[in-house]
Amino acid sequence: MKYYFNEIEAKWQKYWSENQTFKAENKSEKDKFYVLDMFPYPSGAGLHVGHPLGYIASDIYARYKRHKGFNVLHPQGFDSFGLPAEQYAIQTGQHPAKTTQENIKTYRRQLDQMGFSFDWSREVRTSDPSYYKWTQWIFIQLFNAYYCLDADKAKDISALTAIFEKHGNEKVNAVCDENTALFSAEEWNSFGPDQKELVLSQYRLTYLSETEVNWCPDLGTVLANDEIVNGVSERGGFPVVRKKMKQWSMRITAYAQRLLDGLNRIDWPQPLKDAQTNWIGRSEGAMVSFEIEGYAASIEVFTTRPDTIFGVSFMTLAPEHELVAKITTKEQKSDVDSYILSTSRRSERDRMADVKTISGVFTGAYAVHPFSGEKIPVWIGDYVLASYGTGAVMAVPCGDQRDFEFAKHFDLEIPNIFEGQDISEGACEDKGAVIANSDFINGLKVKDAIKKVIEALEKRGIGEGRINYRLRDAVFSRQRYWGEPFPVYYVNGLPKMIDKDYLPVTLPDVEKYLPTEDGKPPLGNATIWAWDTQTNKIVSNDLIDEQTVFPLELNTMPGWAGSSWYFNRYMDADNDNEFCGKEALDYWQDVDLYIGGSEHTTGHLLYSRFWQKFLFDRGHVPVDEYAKKLINQGMILGTSAFVYRKKGENTFISHGLIKDKDVQPIHVDVSLVNASNELDLEGFKDHALNKDFKDAAFVLEDRKYIVGREVEKMSKSKYNVVNPDDICRDYGADTLRMYEMFLGPLEQAKPWNTAGITGVHGFLKRLWKLFHNSGEFSVSEDAPGPEELKILHKTIKKVDEDIANFSFNTSVSSFMIAVNELTSLSCSKRGILEPLVVLISPYAPYIAEELWSKLGHKGSVSTVDYPVFEAKYVIESTKTYPISFNGKMRFTKELSLDLDKEAIEKAVMEDERTQQQMGGRSPKKVIVVPGKIVNIVG
RNA sequence: GCUCGGAUGGUGGAAUUGGUAGACACGUUGGACUUAAAAUCCAAUGAGCAGUAAUGUUCGUGCGGGUUCAAGUCCCGCUCCGAGUACCA
């Protein structure tokens, strides 16, 4: 009887769906285990074979844990707000909700086909009003909170106003804007409501501010730093410019230190932790204030090397620094203005690419050295970034290579403040140096000098020790249509939150999805988009009267809003009264295993940790790190195929004949190429992308056209996409699952190669054949013998260990060995098949279910708690090495069920003595048990 | 530049963490079945040398050293490849 995988798979999909086999309960006697995937954005192209890799791994783990007796939560959903649906809407006028709905349908079909054990009753979609209701709610919670540094946690904003009323803000130790002014209790109490609101916004964890943002004119929107790659937009590759706009921001910087500290408590990959650590970019140093000669202003700088303060010979401001206009002298004005103009014209990308060119200009102004009182010229230069620190540096050419080069270029002084260091060729950045020519810190080492300078600065009130972070507050506004609307309306230009009871504020319909002609975001096109504070309803814009009806926010939230808390929603996805019920949260707590791509390291994975910590502070969730363990699955790459067109001719040359001919490589669809790299010429002509190709000439080798190959990212534009639908049709989902695992280590990037799939498919066929010998299912009730049990338990032990270590590739090999060995014994015994089916079911659930039911079991193997994952026989691996006299070893491997324990114990006791003996003459025989080398005498 | 990975047959990759290097699979070659092909099954397959053969033997985990009875694995010094990040004061 043939292995009819298509029928089997359809049958069990139906069964699982009808019986809700994978529905998880929020109450159980069993221990909980939460396995999470990064939910997909449902794109129009559907899934390719690369997408499900992580889902297969997590599904294997989830099914394995169910067998081990855990109550497993394994949900799935869709990150369904996003730019592609919106751009499609701009082109076609089709509502993004409709496109999204259709795409989700395709995704769902593809996911079901692959046999994932998701609990779809908990599905979430970020674009669903019943979901984004709670995204809006969390936004309001952030608005109504500030970060108290004394308690080191977020608190309700009312606690802050209470302090202001009694003591003003002088003694408040909270995270706030740099330029927050001081006020007394009397002053606060005299402020009007609008002024109070402006002050509070300097403390709120989400706030409106005029910020310099990354504006992408082609996309008509603002981008976050992690959405920009090499100075152009990640999506589309359009140029990005700096622009000032009024935007919502998230005060993630308040959590910088806790985001660092939390990394020590979670089992995430080290490279990912390193990347987040670098992104947060903590550096210790000092703030120093330099007075400007002749002005009432001073320049604040941040430095990590306050010990080098006596080596300062000039200062450099970023061209965008606010003091530049104020302090530039008349004589220098035209130079400075033209320099600022030329740097602002250069895109960020040019500035980054061109690190070598040194440019700058003198402002004409002088600062005063805080200790020596000397005059220090103030320059501007584009090597100083406005967005880091204070946008100004104290330049120490002898201690910083960039300052050194700047000084050399403009012929500025380079005083040496290091004992016995030669600085004629470059700056001395060695932190073991000893300071000289530096007044009260002469003879001190760097570390001690830093301490002493900070003390002196603080004593004189002109500076202080400071920890600075590279991390910036996150801009939270997007000028897009297809995102969460803000639950915000404006009175006198000040934001007001809509009460929880009236959420969600649902996205309005618009005629056009582009920004309005006067430059407002797409929601500016909506005609029914105003808030009536009397009825608490969305009403027509015509009714705005500035008394009771007010304009609503026109921006929407960024893509990361919905994904920053979805893992909590799965625990209680249908709750209409809370974002997630307390009971569910207390039961499920956090994610035990999270699998997803490393591209989200400094985006989603940082923002979601931030929101979780906030929700924890406010008592809404029980833990402040939401994922105990995380694994980054490696990308599956495509193997692109190329044809080579002779330049200027319609002739294609086979890969082997190119040599030094002038040819242009052109991508060709991989489905037109067979396993030996031979191109289907008729197919190529029929599916030609370019009309000319229809009558192209070919230069062949061995009567074949051989294509060139290259490994690239799998993408539609590279014609190297392999569709899982095709693989499932030809080989079945079980084969696809096992093969993707077999391809190589989970965390490693690896190219897809359909040719190798026959090996795994052949294995499943052999397994099937083993128990369908005479054409129908046949299983023997005889008890298995030691040989057969040995095969089974060896496999159990190996597979169990491999799953625990996430080495799914080697466990597939173990299955193959087992089936090969059983085949050679012609073993078809129930006592072997039954546990083997359970063992194999996480990898190949469909064939396992089918065999399980043929064994006469009711219900699904997927939900069976079965002790099969504990090997009944303890198998010790022993090796015997007879040693010849020249010291070379040979040995025979022995795997035994009936080990002579006494002999081993005795040998272990002699271990020490043996080692001594081995230093001298070689023993005749050595037994190795794991971890020990022992000698057997005789 | 900095940070983190990696380098093993024709290919993807194993190697119980210091103990048979090359599991398992692809590919290749030969054979069986077949009119033939596909499918299936069996055998060989790191390289070299000797032998009709069983077998013996030498070399072999990017390069150069070192530690050890024993190194793909540990230590020191390089080379090359990949990923992330970048004027961060």
Side-chain angles (χ1 to χ4, degrees):
Chain A
M1 191 196 275
K2 223 186 137 197
Y3 166 42
Y4 45 97
F5 51 87
N6 285 324
E7 268 174 60
I8 295 173
E9 293 181 3
K11 172 179 163 187
W12 290 102
Q13 270 162 36
K14 193 162 164 252
Y15 178 92
W16 291 337
S17 154
E18 281 170 0
N19 291 278
Q20 299 228 36
T21 306
F22 305 111
K23 194 166 158 47
E25 297 299 333
N26 281 359
K27 257 186 188 170
S28 171
E29 304 256 298
K30 297 174 177 178
D31 289 336
K32 69 99 187 182
F33 201 90
Y34 184 177
V35 182
L36 181 67
D37 293 297
M38 288 184 188
F39 61 167
Y41 172 80
S43 85
L47 294 170
H48 63 61
V49 288
H51 292 120
L53 181 75
Y55 303 156
I56 295 169
S58 66
D59 194 61
I60 288 169
Y61 208 81
R63 286 172 180 270
Y64 166 75
K65 279 287 175 183
R66 285 195 195 97
H67 286 318
K68 280 275 203 179
F70 286 83
N71 185 29
V72 173
L73 174 58
H74 186 37
Q76 188 57 288
F78 297 97
D79 190 11
S80 47
F81 273 132
L83 206 45
E86 178 160 335
Q87 287 187 323
Y88 189 71
I90 291 168
Q91 285 159 22
T92 64
Q94 169 135 236
H95 197 288
K98 200 179 163 218
T99 320
T100 303
Q101 175 74 30
E102 283 163 7
N103 293 347
I104 285 177
K105 217 173 140 190
T106 308
Y107 267 60
R108 181 64 196 276
R109 179 188 59 74
Q110 290 187 299
L111 292 171
D112 283 347
Q113 159 183 276
M114 282 179 270
F116 293 128
S117 62
F118 294 129
D119 177 358
W120 284 106
S121 72
R122 296 167 183 264
E123 177 186 342
V124 303
R125 298 178 186 187
T126 55
S127 62
D128 195 312
S130 69
Y131 179 86
Y132 69 67
K133 170 180 177 176
W134 299 105
T135 311
Q136 293 173 339
W137 176 81
I138 293 170
F139 175 82
I140 296 169
Q141 305 309 304
L142 282 154
F143 182 80
N144 288 327
Y146 77 107
Y147 198 87
C148 172
L149 286 165
D150 288 329
D152 203 18
K153 64 185 256 192
K155 286 187 176 176
D156 197 282
I157 198 83
S158 62
L160 190 63
T161 48
I163 300 171
F164 288 170
E165 281 163 19
K166 281 189 183 162
H167 309 290
N169 72 345
E170 276 171 61
K171 285 182 183 158
V172 168
N173 188 17
V175 177
C176 61
D177 292 354
E178 266 307 311
N179 54 2
T180 304
L182 293 180
F183 52 81
S184 64
E186 291 77 43
E187 287 173 300
W188 170 261
N189 291 323
S190 70
F191 290 163
D194 288 1
Q195 196 172 359
K196 280 183 176 167
E197 179 49 43
L198 285 172
V199 171
L200 286 175
S201 76
Q202 298 182 303
Y203 289 86
R204 294 185 187 277
L205 288 182
T206 183
Y207 58 97
L208 273 175
S209 71
E210 190 82 21
T211 28
E212 193 156 87
V213 294
N214 305 304
W215 172 253
C216 180
D218 294 82
L219 294 173
T221 190
V222 159
L223 300 171
N225 284 336
D226 58 278
E227 289 171 308
I228 302 166
V229 177
N230 295 329
V232 296
S233 65
E234 187 183 24
R235 174 164 290 281
F238 300 114
V240 177
V241 295
R242 311 283 301 168
K243 186 181 171 185
K244 284 222 166 189
M245 288 181 81
K246 197 155 207 176
Q247 301 279 319
W248 284 101
S249 288
M250 288 274 164
R251 217 179 285 281
I252 187 173
T253 48
Y255 283 86
Q257 190 58 48
R258 280 173 63 193
L259 287 167
L260 280 177
D261 296 342
L263 291 173
N264 297 325
R265 287 183 279 119
I266 48 181
D267 181 9
W268 288 20
Q270 197 55 42
L272 190 158
K273 287 186 184 182
D274 291 344
Q276 288 205 350
T277 305
N278 290 337
W279 192 260
I280 296 166
R282 178 193 155 107
S283 54
E284 278 180 57
M287 295 293 288
V288 187
S289 171
F290 287 72
E291 280 178 19
I292 304 166
E293 203 179 58
Y295 293 92
S298 57
I299 302 171
E300 295 271 326
V301 300
F302 173 75
T303 175
T304 54
R305 294 291 301 276
D307 57 305
T308 62
I309 191 147
F310 289 97
V312 175
S313 62
F314 61 100
M315 306 197 66
T316 315
L317 307 184
E320 300 89 344
H321 198 284
E322 54 180 12
L323 280 176
V324 172
K326 207 168 165 184
I327 63 171
T328 302
T329 57
K330 271 183 199 159
E331 298 78 48
Q332 296 295 319
K333 193 168 188 316
S334 66
D335 283 0
V336 167
D337 286 350
S338 67
Y339 181 68
I340 292 174
L341 192 68
S342 76
T343 49
S344 70
R345 274 203 193 132
R346 292 174 77 192
S347 70
E348 194 91 342
R349 193 185 191 183
D350 291 343
R351 253 168 92 167
M352 278 199 284
D354 181 20
V355 179
K356 292 255 161 71
T357 313
I358 295 162
S359 70
V361 59
F362 180 43
T363 61
Y366 289 87
V368 182
H369 193 282
F371 292 113
S372 71
E374 275 175 51
K375 274 172 75 172
I376 307 164
V378 180
W379 287 64
I380 61 175
D382 69 357
Y383 80 97
V384 175
L385 304 176
S387 56
Y388 184 74
T390 60
V393 300
M394 55 176 229
V396 184
C398 68
D400 183 285
Q401 191 57 32
R402 288 157 307 167
D403 295 344
F404 181 88
E405 278 159 19
F406 194 87
K408 276 262 168 198
H409 190 262
F410 291 107
D411 204 19
L412 298 163
E413 252 185 279
I414 308 179
N416 190 353
I417 53 150
F418 297 111
E419 210 171 282
Q421 297 284 342
D422 175 27
I423 52 149
S424 56
E425 292 299 316
C428 164
E429 293 179 333
D430 176 16
K431 288 193 178 166
V434 175
I435 309 292
N437 303 327
S438 297
D439 197 355
F440 61 93
I441 50 169
N442 279 338
L444 292 179
K445 286 198 172 156
V446 170
K447 215 175 153 190
D448 302 322
I450 289 175
K451 223 170 148 187
K452 203 148 182 198
V453 169
I454 291 175
E455 275 170 23
L457 289 168
E458 287 177 351
K459 205 171 164 191
R460 294 181 46 182
I462 49 169
E464 56 179 3
R466 173 73 67 90
I467 294 160
N468 205 33
Y469 298 92
R470 198 190 80 123
L471 185 69
R472 307 284 84 196
D473 277 348
V475 176
F476 198 65
S477 298
R478 294 291 183 276
Q479 292 67 46
R480 290 179 192 163
Y481 174 75
W482 194 230
E484 296 88 346
F486 284 83
V488 172
Y489 61 94
Y490 288 90
V491 179
N492 294 333
L494 290 173
K496 304 282 175 201
M497 295 295 127
I498 288 167
D499 195 90
K500 170 184 186 267
D501 297 339
Y502 308 108
L503 299 180
V505 176
T506 52
L507 203 55
D509 282 327
V510 292
E511 297 232 331
K512 277 186 185 169
Y513 300 98
L514 283 168
T516 64
E517 277 168 19
D518 53 346
K520 285 182 191 160
L523 290 192
N525 292 316
T527 51
I528 305 178
W529 194 237
W531 188 253
D532 185 336
T533 55
Q534 300 216 295
T535 59
N536 289 304
K537 278 189 175 136
I538 298 168
V539 294
S540 167
N541 297 10
D542 299 338
L543 298 173
I544 292 175
D545 59 7
E546 304 291 340
Q547 316 271 309
T548 59
V549 180
F550 300 95
L552 281 156
E553 169 73 57
L554 298 181
N555 288 297
T556 54
M557 299 186 194
W560 56 269
S563 61
S564 291
W565 70 282
Y566 74 110
F567 37 88
N568 287 317
R569 185 65 178 172
Y570 283 134
M571 299 177 189
D572 195 11
D574 293 326
N575 196 326
D576 203 31
N577 300 313
E578 290 172 278
F579 84 107
C580 181
K582 191 172 181 313
E583 255 181 63
L585 278 161
D586 285 343
Y587 179 72
W588 292 109
Q589 296 268 327
D590 55 6
V591 175
D592 294 281
L593 174 65
Y594 193 16
I595 296 187
S598 57
E599 66 272 22
H600 299 109
T601 297
T602 52
H604 158 63
L605 289 173
L606 199 58
Y607 297 130
S608 53
R609 290 182 58 224
F610 158 45
W611 277 30
Q612 181 76 5
K613 285 178 189 302
F614 167 73
L615 291 169
F616 174 77
D617 284 354
R618 305 297 300 124
H620 299 301
V621 294
V623 289
D624 82 331
E625 287 290 347
Y626 69 87
K628 285 199 193 91
K629 181 170 179 69
L630 183 136
I631 289 180
N632 287 131
Q633 90 276 14
M635 208 187 309
I636 290 190
L637 303 163
T639 312
S640 304
F642 292 89
V643 291
Y644 300 90
R645 189 186 197 184
K646 217 168 169 181
K647 282 242 169 92
E649 293 178 40
N650 199 13
T651 306
F652 292 88
I653 303 173
S654 186
H655 183 247
L657 303 172
I658 304 168
K659 289 193 181 142
D660 43 3
K661 293 194 181 76
D662 197 9
V663 291
Q664 172 196 12
I666 299 170
H667 276 102
V668 61
D669 198 313
V670 287
S671 62
L672 297 173
V673 182
N674 71 10
S676 6
N677 294 339
E678 187 188 341
L679 179 67
D680 171 4
L681 289 177
E682 291 311 309
F684 177 71
K685 287 179 186 168
D686 290 349
H687 299 93
L689 301 153
N690 185 328
K691 274 183 194 167
D692 297 348
F693 296 176
K694 280 191 197 293
D695 38 42
F698 297 90
V699 180
L700 307 178
E701 49 185 319
D702 271 349
R703 297 176 160 207
K704 291 169 190 163
Y705 188 96
I706 305 298
V707 298
R709 292 286 200 174
E710 208 170 299
V711 172
E712 297 178 292
K713 208 169 162 178
M714 204 174 269
S715 130
K716 223 175 163 183
S717 63
K718 298 191 170 85
Y719 301 100
N720 59 5
V721 171
V722 178
N723 190 329
D725 294 0
D726 297 341
I727 305 292
C728 286
R729 184 194 61 226
D730 297 343
Y731 300 97
D734 284 342
T735 302
L736 176 66
R737 289 170 66 110
M738 287 198 111
Y739 185 54
E740 291 218 1
M741 291 299 101
F742 183 70
L743 226 40
L746 179 61
E747 306 197 51
Q748 189 178 303
K750 49 218 169 251
W752 177 266
N753 171 19
T754 305
I757 204 166
T758 52
V760 174
H761 189 60
F763 154 75
L764 287 171
K765 282 203 269 191
R766 281 195 298 279
L767 169 66
W768 183 259
K769 227 172 101 178
L770 193 52
F771 297 93
H772 292 82
N773 231 342
S774 50
E776 57 189 51
F777 183 68
S778 67
V779 66
S780 155
E781 299 292 336
D782 295 347
E787 273 301 297
E788 294 151 338
L789 285 172
K790 200 193 281 184
I791 295 166
L792 175 67
H793 286 280
K794 186 176 68 178
T795 312
I796 290 171
K797 188 162 187 278
K798 183 68 165 52
V799 171
D800 194 24
E801 283 169 4
D802 284 345
I803 295 180
N805 296 323
F806 303 95
S807 305
F808 300 111
N809 54 332
T810 52
S811 54
V812 175
S813 299
S814 303
F815 285 128
M816 292 185 182
I817 295 167
V819 168
N820 285 344
E821 287 176 352
L822 290 173
T823 303
S824 66
L825 292 177
S826 304
C827 167
S828 61
K829 293 173 180 167
R830 169 185 285 270
I832 295 296
L833 177 61
E834 210 167 53
L836 189 64
V837 159
V838 180
L839 188 65
I840 224 164
S841 66
Y843 290 82
Y846 291 117
I847 192 173
E849 292 282 10
E850 185 66 14
L851 290 168
W852 187 249
S853 82
K854 286 190 171 199
L855 283 162
H857 294 284
K858 283 182 186 159
S860 171
V861 67
S862 302
T863 53
V864 167
D865 294 350
Y866 202 79
V868 71
F869 284 105
E870 284 148 35
K872 283 177 206 158
Y873 297 89
V874 178
I875 298 168
E876 295 286 348
S877 165
T878 41
K879 294 167 186 175
T880 312
Y881 300 83
I883 293 191
S884 65
F885 287 106
N886 64 7
K888 290 269 173 183
M889 290 194 206
R890 277 184 293 153
F891 85 125
T892 51
K893 189 173 177 179
E894 200 183 316
L895 187 69
S896 170
L897 287 176
D898 45 2
L899 273 179
D900 186 352
K901 279 194 177 170
E902 266 180 46
I904 290 177
E905 273 166 27
K906 193 180 158 197
V908 169
M909 281 164 64
E910 288 175 9
D911 184 22
E912 213 170 291
R913 215 177 72 203
T914 310
Q915 298 243 1
Q916 285 168 7
Q917 284 176 2
M918 288 181 70
R921 252 176 243 147
S922 301
K924 283 183 183 168
K925 258 187 172 183
V926 179
I927 276 198
V928 178
V929 292
K932 297 254 167 95
I933 300 176
V934 292
N935 182 27
I936 287 196
V937 186

